Amino acid sequence: MEGTPTAGRRSGVARPVARPPGPRGSLLYAGIVARRDPTAYFEGIVRDHPRLAHLRLGREHVYVLGHPELVQELFVARGRALRKGRALERIRMLLGDGLLTSEGERHRTQRRLIQPALHGDRIAAYADDMVATARAYDTRWRDGEVLDLAREMSGLTLTVVGRALFGSDLREETARVAEALAALLGGFQRHLLPGADLLLRIPTPGRARMFAAIDRLDRLVRELIERRRAAPPGPDLLSTLLAHLDDDTQVRDEVMTLLLAGHETTATALTWTWWLLSEHPEVARWLHEELDTRLDGVPSYADLDRLPRTRAVFAEAMRLYPPSWILGRRTLTEVELDGWTLPAGSLCVASQWVLHRDGRFWAAPLEFAPRRWIGPDGRYDEAVPGQPRGAYLPFGLGARICVGLAFAWMEGVLVLATLARHWDPELAPGQKVEPLPAVTLRQKYGMRMRLRARR
Ligand code: HEM
């Protein structure tokens, strides 16, 4: 039943729950559209229902939050009444009970253990690793060479995480991880839709590929742990995990989580950044001007504040192509939102893709305009574009905000600064560009680009 807010709320009277209106049409039709173009599907829902929409997904009741006020209200003020949504329930197959997927007290304990390694002074120590890794690509790249920058960035960020967090050299493993992830994430979308439980029990080739990919990653993670255990403990996060967790499965789950969450998203963001720069030569020139005048040799931690344009370019790329494009939660209790009562067990989603491109909150929303992040004093400032709180969420919000946020910002800026100083890649002829909204917003056809040396 659709109705007005608060209808059906009289306690003790068994009346159907009143729900906000939502998209019409058959579930089958919605399923097909959502599968083919999920970002457009959610954009359409928010266009027609700008604050809150309700729809059915199989037996699930789904609420789509289209307004930042409601996103803040639910994810921050009512955070305690939520657990992770459907996608993360599924991704447990791969990540087990690591920081991204765990709940309640276990999550709080794990967060307390892991967060210090990714915050404050500790991350300054990773800057040199990040720059050294980017420099290795800088010296290997050849003028005129065509490379898939999605692969390059994925190899680069995996190597950074390996060195910084696990004290391990993963350069040899990058191809193995990239293949397993492509097999896994590409097909993952199918497992989020109604009927997925059944699909997983049917022995299809897709299912076999998925489990083989999980197996490959599992072996890599166990090798990584064994290698680290065999060497003397160091200041890295893996040594901390080994010292504090007695359960091998728990160490495995945390390492798998940090390895995947810690590289795939940053790689995706950097890849979109390269493409956006190639499409907007005037922005590339604006960026190069900063790198040519502000950097004295190889970038370092001390340079971070001197590179507002580099940061703005990375921020703007994550606005238009947010690596995490949708956030989902399930309500644990009944929740009041915008005058409606959401029953316990409802699914709530908010899409960064939609919020980041909404003309109600952004001027020239579809334009790649990094200057919007620079204040009159020439500094980068997340408040300058004037968007309301909750309209820019590349790293999520509330208690489950990305634990690697500071690490990712630093990595994005330092890698971009190191490489864009010398390189200005252009799209390879015939390369199609389309987002693939799987768990992260990947590049559907990769991103083959021709490297152009700047000097
Ligand atoms: C551009 C890069 C990145 C983006 C866009 C990103 C985005 C996000 C988002 C949106 C969430 C929240 C998910 C939710 O609420 O359901 C999240 C959580 C998380 N991220 Fe990131 N992330 C990035 C980089 C990193 C890095 C570098 C690390 C590790 C070094 C990392 C580790 C994690 C972990 C462990 C969580 C779960 C935190 C918790 O639930 O307590 N991420 N990330």
Side-chain angles (χ1 to χ4, degrees), residues 84 88 99-100 107 111 118 165 257-258 261-262 265-266 269 314 318 323-324 327 329 352 394-396 400-404 407-408:
K84 289 285 177 114
L88 285 165
L99 192 57
L100 190 67
H107 172 260
R111 181 110 189 181
L118 294 166
L165 302 187
T257 298
L258 289 163
T265 39
T266 320
F314 194 55
M318 287 196 290
S324 152
L327 295 167
R329 292 293 187 272
Q352 290 107 319
F395 295 97
R400 306 299 298 250
I401 196 167
C402 178
V403 76
F407 187 100

Side-chain angles (χ1 to χ4, degrees), residues 38-316:
T39 45
Y41 179 65
F42 285 105
E43 264 172 337
I45 294 179
V46 174
R47 190 183 50 238
D48 297 341
H49 309 278
R51 286 184 70 87
L52 188 62
H54 166 262
L55 61 124
R56 292 287 295 265
L57 187 73
R59 272 178 297 167
E60 305 269 20
H61 288 280
V62 183
Y63 292 84
V64 180
L65 280 61
H67 200 284
E69 255 169 41
L70 304 189
V71 177
Q72 283 286 127
E73 170 75 17
L74 185 77
F75 283 74
V76 183
R78 313 241 173 255
R80 285 188 169 276
L82 307 173
R83 52 171 291 149
K84 289 285 177 114
R86 197 180 169 95
L88 285 165
E89 285 160 13
R90 288 270 184 275
I91 212 172
R92 236 167 233 273
M93 280 191 303
L94 174 64
L95 301 182
D97 231 352
L99 192 57
L100 190 67
T101 36
S102 59
E103 301 283 351
E105 191 44 42
R106 174 156 178 161
H107 172 260
R108 279 189 286 279
T109 314
Q110 284 160 294
R111 181 110 189 181
R112 272 197 296 272
L113 182 63
I114 291 170
Q115 184 155 301
L118 294 166
H119 267 254
D121 296 346
R122 286 285 293 280
I123 64 158
Y126 306 137
D128 290 347
D129 274 341
M130 291 171 177
V131 174
T133 307
R135 289 266 295 153
Y137 283 76
D138 187 28
T139 46
R140 184 165 56 72
W141 282 2
R142 294 284 167 260
D143 193 19
E145 187 178 18
V146 173
L147 288 175
D148 182 354
L149 284 199
R151 281 254 165 154
E152 293 291 292
M153 292 301 109
S154 165
L156 195 164
T157 56
L158 183 69
T159 308
V160 166
V161 166
R163 277 197 194 188
L165 302 187
F166 306 132
S168 231
D169 188 344
L170 294 180
R171 270 176 302 179
E172 304 293 322
E173 323 291 349
T174 55
R176 206 166 131 194
V177 174
E179 262 161 48
L181 274 184
L184 207 56
L185 298 182
F188 197 79
Q189 202 59 23
R190 256 174 280 137
H191 298 284
L192 300 181
L193 293 163
D197 295 323
L198 190 66
L199 202 70
L200 275 177
R201 275 182 254 133
I202 304 171
T204 59
R207 174 186 183 274
R209 268 198 304 278
M210 197 168 106
F211 282 105
I214 295 181
D215 237 31
R216 280 203 297 277
L217 289 172
D218 225 12
R219 245 176 293 141
L220 170 72
V221 165
R222 290 194 192 276
E223 273 168 39
L224 191 77
I225 296 171
E226 286 321 311
R227 235 190 282 166
R228 194 70 202 84
R229 217 179 231 143
D236 57 282
L237 182 55
L238 182 49
S239 294
T240 311
L241 293 175
L242 287 169
H244 287 84
L245 304 174
D246 348 291
D247 180 351
D248 267 12
T249 311
Q250 224 179 329
V251 179
R252 177 261 175 221
D253 291 352
E254 293 304 352
V255 172
M256 183 72 92
T257 298
L258 289 163
L259 191 72
L260 299 187
H263 94 280
E264 160 72 14
T265 39
T266 320
T268 309
L270 283 165
T271 307
W272 287 120
T273 307
W274 289 118
W275 173 66
L276 286 163
L277 284 171
S278 75
E279 294 287 299
H280 299 85
E282 75 294 351
V283 177
R285 274 194 298 278
W286 180 74
L287 170 69
H288 293 149
E289 198 178 274
E290 170 170 278
L291 300 175
D292 294 344
T293 55
R294 295 275 179 103
L295 285 178
D296 187 16
V298 180
S300 69
Y301 183 74
D303 291 316
L304 284 172
D305 283 345
R306 296 156 50 77
L307 300 172
R309 293 184 184 182
T310 316
R311 184 174 288 260
V313 165
F314 194 55
E316 182 73 346

